[in-house]
């Protein structure tokens, strides 16, 4: 549902994808209502019909991508005992990094109304990094019970470190900087050693 109560799932995702393309191509400053609706090939007034202006739209885009990441993290629970622990964690971490363009995050942070809307939604229970952290902790606890990670592993601290690092990489990622996949793999290897056999 949009903020005004209108069900628009297809249009919503079309606009979100268009916004990501505009930001990737033209930077955060290039995302205007006109540029967005032109990229989505829809009527100019559609943004204001279905969202609380551009700020409301940006906040909803960020919240949607956080929710996507949270769904991926929740799926970890069903993977306990399957595959490699490091691989399962890396998949979730990289999925989070790929779920939201850093330019969109920057845009949300630099638009006070969008930032406020996002914070209020997260405080009200919208899926975000706290839920993702809880899912990672629960997954690690399940793997610890199976003996697939060391018995003394502090699952909460590892989840906080992993999700905090992903958050940091998401907010500060430089396209010319280190490969986030490599950084994430090194972090996971340091945080979650293989259990002694």
């Amino acid at each position: 549902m949009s903020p005004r109560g209108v069900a628009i799932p297809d249009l919503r995702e079309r606009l979100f994808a268009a916004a990501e393309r505009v930001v990737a191509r033209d930077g955060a400053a290039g995302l205007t209502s006109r540029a967005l609706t032109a990229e989505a090939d829809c009527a100019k007034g559609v943004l204001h019909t279905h969202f609380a202006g551009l700020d409301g739209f940006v906040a909803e885009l960020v919240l949607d991508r956080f929710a996507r990441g949270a769904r991926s993290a929740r799926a970890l629970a069903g993977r306990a005992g399957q595959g490699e622990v490091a691989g399962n964690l890396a998949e979730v971490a990289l999925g989070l990094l790929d779920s939201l363009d850093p330019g969109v995050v920057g845009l949300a942070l630099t638009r006070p109304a969008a930032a406020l809307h996002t914070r209020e939604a997260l405080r009200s229970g919208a899926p975000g990094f706290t839920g993702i952290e809880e899912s990672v902790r629960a997954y690690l606890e399940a793997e610890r019970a199976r003996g697939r990670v060391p018995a003394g592993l502090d699952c909460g601290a590892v989840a906080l470190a992993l999700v905090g690092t992903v958050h940091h990489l998401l907010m500060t990622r430089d396209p010319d900087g280190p490969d986030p996949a490599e950084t994430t793999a090194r972090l996971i290897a340091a945080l979650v050693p293989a259990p002694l056999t």
Side-chain angles (χ1 to χ4, degrees):
M1 291 288 207
S2 77
R4 297 183 186 188
V6 179
I8 52 165
D10 294 338
L11 177 60
R12 181 181 172 91
E13 183 53 40
R14 186 166 142 201
L15 287 166
F16 287 166
E20 290 170 328
R21 290 192 302 273
V22 170
V23 171
R25 183 183 62 235
D26 304 328
L31 186 64
T32 63
S33 298
R34 181 168 292 177
L36 173 59
T37 52
E39 182 71 25
D41 192 27
C42 59
K44 290 184 174 122
V46 75
L47 182 72
H48 297 282
T49 301
H50 296 293
F51 295 92
L54 187 59
D55 286 324
F57 170 80
V58 168
E60 290 296 323
L61 168 58
V62 170
L63 291 166
D64 179 83
R65 296 327 192 214
F66 282 167
R68 182 186 291 181
R71 284 191 298 274
S72 172
R74 280 194 302 273
L76 269 175
R79 297 175 70 180
Q82 302 172 25
E84 295 291 326
V85 173
N88 291 339
L89 292 172
E91 187 175 320
V92 167
L94 294 175
L96 289 170
L97 288 170
D98 290 340
S99 70
L100 195 55
D101 186 285
V104 174
V105 175
L107 181 64
L109 293 176
T110 59
R111 297 181 71 94
L116 178 62
H117 181 99
T118 303
R119 279 195 306 273
E120 287 175 347
L122 292 171
R123 277 192 213 114
S124 297
F129 284 102
T130 300
I132 294 166
E133 181 187 332
E134 290 168 1
S135 294
V136 171
R137 178 193 48 75
Y139 165 73
L140 286 169
E141 288 173 349
E143 294 290 27
R144 186 177 61 193
R146 288 171 169 78
R148 287 175 25 106
V149 298
L153 186 73
D154 184 337
C155 299
V158 171
L160 175 61
L162 180 61
V163 175
T165 299
V166 169
H167 183 270
H168 170 74
L169 290 172
L170 186 60
M171 299 300 179
T172 63
R173 186 170 37 179
D174 177 358
D176 300 321
D179 177 11
E182 182 183 323
T183 302
T184 302
R186 284 178 25 238
L187 175 69
I188 292 169
L191 292 172
V192 190
L196 297 174
T197 55

